[in-house]
Amino acid sequence: MAQLECKNLCLGYEGKEILHDLSFQISAGEYLCIVGENGSGKSTLMKTILGLQAPLSGSVAFGDGLKGNEIGYLPQQTDVQRDFPASVWEVVLSGCCGRQGMRPFYSREDKLLAEENIKKMELTNLKKRCYRELSGGQQQRVLLARALCATRKILLLDEPVSGLDPMVTASMYRLIEELNKKDGTTIIMISHDIAAALQYADHILHIGKNIFFGTKEEYLRSEAGFGFADRKEEENYESSI
């Protein structure tokens, strides 16, 4: 059974439709990259999966024992969030909030999980540091550790390498790949980096004027993928000169 299935989704704001009749499903342990032009509805889709926004029509269903509160989420950061005055430990541990239920305190299990994810994201030496004093790459690893405290099953990542330099970007992709390949965590990632999407993902979801869902090999042969990858490569080249 699919871990996540979206069926006939129509998404939008205040009744204005921006995405029509979208259907796809993903199984446990797969790696999906969502690509498309700006404003095509990628972040709106992610918020709908998380239950933060209701679809205009259609449905989102979970299988494989996944519950709605067992999804880890790494959103795009705002300037206010980057300046958050808390320690690395406090930020990561807050990812356990959804596991607390009615408990007004963190359990020993919560704290052990936070410790485990801090170590996994190579943050042990930064544990006591203030979050706002960290570099962009360090902050993203903190937020990824926080997201892992919410789930061991599935992570939703919205442009997790945006604004990071090439070396830090490569490190983030490596950590995400390890979570997928070694730990079996399902990854759903929005990305403008088409080269990385084609390198790491099992499947591609392209949304916009043309909608496509399938393997990355099928994507490159599709009407949606044909030309989009080349256009993105040209944009990346022009921005580098």
Side-chain angles (χ1 to χ4, degrees):
M1 182 179 180
Q3 191 176 56
L4 168 69
E5 181 176 13
C6 296
K7 184 178 291 186
N8 305 125
L9 280 182
C10 293
L11 308 178
Y13 295 93
E14 299 177 353
K16 183 180 179 181
E17 187 177 276
I18 60 172
L19 189 60
H20 176 72
D21 199 24
L22 173 65
S23 297
F24 70 94
Q25 62 181 33
I26 185 168
S27 299
E30 292 185 335
Y31 193 141
L32 170 69
C33 270
I34 304 174
V35 302
E37 302 291 356
N38 290 336
S40 58
K42 300 185 295 295
S43 293
T44 302
L45 171 60
M46 196 162 276
K47 291 175 183 177
T48 301
I49 292 172
L50 289 163
L52 301 175
Q53 180 173 329
L56 299 179
S57 61
S59 63
V60 176
F62 303 115
D64 192 40
L66 179 68
K67 299 176 183 177
N69 65 349
E70 294 179 320
I71 299 176
Y73 178 43
L74 196 164
Q76 293 188 47
Q77 282 203 89
T78 65
D79 290 337
V80 171
Q81 290 168 330
R82 291 189 184 94
D83 200 38
F84 192 61
S87 69
V88 168
W89 168 250
E90 289 169 330
V91 173
V92 174
L93 186 60
S94 71
C96 295
C97 286
R99 305 161 54 89
Q100 285 182 263
M102 298 299 292
R103 287 186 287 111
F105 54 85
Y106 293 111
S107 68
R108 181 174 180 274
E109 182 184 12
D110 293 336
K111 294 174 182 178
L112 288 174
L113 181 61
E115 289 277 11
E116 176 187 333
N117 289 321
I118 283 174
K119 182 178 180 181
K120 186 176 291 185
M121 291 297 107
E122 303 170 1
L123 295 164
T124 303
N125 63 329
L126 301 174
K127 179 180 172 181
K128 297 181 180 180
R129 288 276 301 277
C130 183
Y131 177 78
R132 64 183 176 189
E133 296 174 354
L134 304 182
S135 69
Q138 290 168 338
Q139 287 189 345
Q140 287 298 85
R141 284 190 283 132
V142 171
L143 294 180
L144 190 51
R146 181 184 186 276
L148 286 170
C149 284
T151 183
R152 294 180 183 270
K153 294 184 177 181
I154 183 169
L155 288 174
L156 272 59
L157 313 174
D158 193 348
E159 295 285 355
V161 301
S162 178
L164 303 182
D165 66 45
M167 185 174 294
V168 177
T169 293
S171 176
M172 277 294 291
Y173 281 139
R174 174 182 59 81
L175 289 170
I176 294 167
E177 183 180 33
E178 287 179 358
L179 291 172
N180 177 246
K181 301 301 183 186
K182 292 184 179 180
D183 297 353
T185 305
T186 305
I187 303 294
I188 300 178
M189 180 171 69
I190 293 175
S191 180
H192 282 96
D193 188 346
I194 190 65
L198 294 172
Q199 178 179 350
Y200 295 107
D202 301 315
H203 292 78
I204 302 291
L205 173 62
H206 180 120
I207 58 179
K209 182 178 180 181
N210 295 308
I211 293 178
F212 169 89
F213 172 72
T215 67
K216 55 189 176 185
E217 293 81 12
E218 293 169 337
Y219 176 64
L220 288 173
R221 298 192 298 267
S222 72
E223 181 180 354
F226 185 75
F228 184 74
D230 290 339
R231 189 163 67 252
K232 283 297 178 183
E233 286 184 7
E234 288 177 5
E235 290 174 1
N236 292 337
Y237 174 75
E238 289 171 358
S239 66
S240 68
I241 59 175

